[in-house]
Amino acid sequence: MTELAITHIGGPTTLIEIGGWQLLTDPTFDPPGGLYRFGWGTSSRKLTGPAIAAVDLPPIDAVLISHDGHGDNLDPAGRRLLPTAATVLTTVSGARRLGGNARGLAPWATATLAAPGRPTVQITATPGRHGPPLSRAIVGDVIGFDVRWPGGSVWISGDTVLYDGLHEVAKRLDIDVAVIHMGGVRFPISGPIRYTMLARDAVELCELVRPRVVIPVHYEGWKHFQQPREAIEREFATAPAATRDGLRWLTPGERTAL
């Protein structure tokens, strides 16, 4: 059986190990304290640093970037490590901006990792919407990633709200482990508008995709994350049994076999 292990590094950043493959998601490795501007009058401060330094990572086969325009998903230190990876997968527009070894994937496009002695891994971009309807012109494109190999799968939602595109994910994919970006992101300038899922949205999503394991990420470490672990736990505590029992918290920096 192919071993799957995930290490939560902080924010949206995880190291995913699949039968010898090393995949890194949304790399953020800057120290805490910096102020990051996201455009249109929005900004946020980083509150905690990564649980693992970039220099301590193993050689990375693929970096999966849900979107390149926001510092809480790709910061300067994260950008500096991209040339060291074998490949970088992101949105089509993001690949044009990043250049180098970046490859753009439109929703439902695929890329394949293959090497002797390792399982073949298929990575499919899944749709996302980083805010309310018509927000794409402001916040840009975003994708998630379905990572699949013989006998297993991991789906990373990316920064997205719950909308019809995720219902399509539920229809198309049989998901084993779901890594869901939460945090209920919002900014004072845009009032109550949310740019990522609240815990109640994640519960509804899990009822649709029915993963065996649910791993929250993107809920801590930044000022603009509005819903911490305690709020997520309260929401999942009242969820149906299969969803409630599937919730799995990863200790930052600790490798967890799944």
Side-chain angles (χ1 to χ4, degrees):
M1 177 181 290
T2 299
E3 183 185 28
L4 167 67
I6 300 180
T7 305
H8 187 197
I9 295 173
T13 310
T14 64
L15 178 65
I16 301 175
E17 304 171 61
I18 303 166
W21 295 105
Q22 306 280 351
L23 312 181
L24 185 68
T25 69
D26 284 348
T28 55
F29 289 92
D30 284 357
L35 181 67
Y36 298 75
R37 302 196 181 279
F38 301 144
W40 294 84
T42 62
S43 65
S44 184
R45 191 170 297 278
K46 189 171 186 179
L47 303 177
T48 60
I52 297 173
V55 295
D56 294 326
L57 293 172
I60 300 300
D61 296 296
V63 179
L64 312 181
I65 304 173
S66 64
H67 61 300
D68 68 305
H70 297 154
D72 61 329
N73 294 84
L74 180 64
D75 63 16
R79 288 176 183 269
R80 287 193 293 271
L81 68 79
L82 298 185
T84 69
T87 190
V88 174
L89 301 177
T90 188
T91 63
V92 172
S93 58
R96 289 196 295 264
R97 287 186 291 268
L98 293 173
N101 58 349
R103 175 181 172 185
L105 295 178
W108 303 116
T110 65
T112 301
L113 303 179
R118 299 184 187 181
T120 297
V121 174
Q122 180 175 282
I123 301 173
T124 301
T126 59
R129 195 183 75 200
H130 198 1
L134 306 180
S135 63
R136 184 170 281 111
I138 298 173
V139 298
D141 296 326
V142 62
I143 54 175
F145 298 94
D146 176 66
V147 182
R148 193 165 296 267
W149 63 97
S153 68
V154 177
W155 176 56
I156 303 104
S157 72
D159 280 13
T160 182
V161 296
L162 182 61
Y163 80 115
D164 288 348
L166 298 193
H167 288 247
E168 187 67 17
V169 170
K171 292 177 183 177
R172 291 195 186 203
L173 300 177
D174 179 19
I175 294 168
D176 183 32
V177 176
V179 178
I180 301 181
H181 291 213
M182 300 189 198
V185 166
R186 63 181 178 85
F187 299 95
I189 196 170
S190 53
I193 293 173
R194 302 283 179 177
Y195 296 91
T196 60
M197 280 183 275
L198 291 163
R200 66 170 180 262
D201 303 318
V203 167
E204 182 178 343
L205 175 63
C206 290
E207 288 301 293
L208 294 170
V209 301
R210 298 192 175 278
R212 174 179 61 89
V213 176
V214 181
I215 297 173
V217 298
H218 195 271
Y219 62 88
E220 44 68 51
W222 289 79
K223 188 176 180 180
H224 64 303
F225 294 171
Q226 301 295 314
Q227 204 173 51
R229 173 171 173 164
E230 293 77 14
I232 297 169
E233 287 177 331
R234 285 195 300 270
E235 195 70 39
F236 272 79
T238 62
T243 295
R244 180 182 67 242
D245 296 343
L247 186 66
R248 183 77 175 268
W249 295 100
L250 303 187
T251 301
E254 183 176 296
R255 181 182 186 271
T256 302
L258 297 164

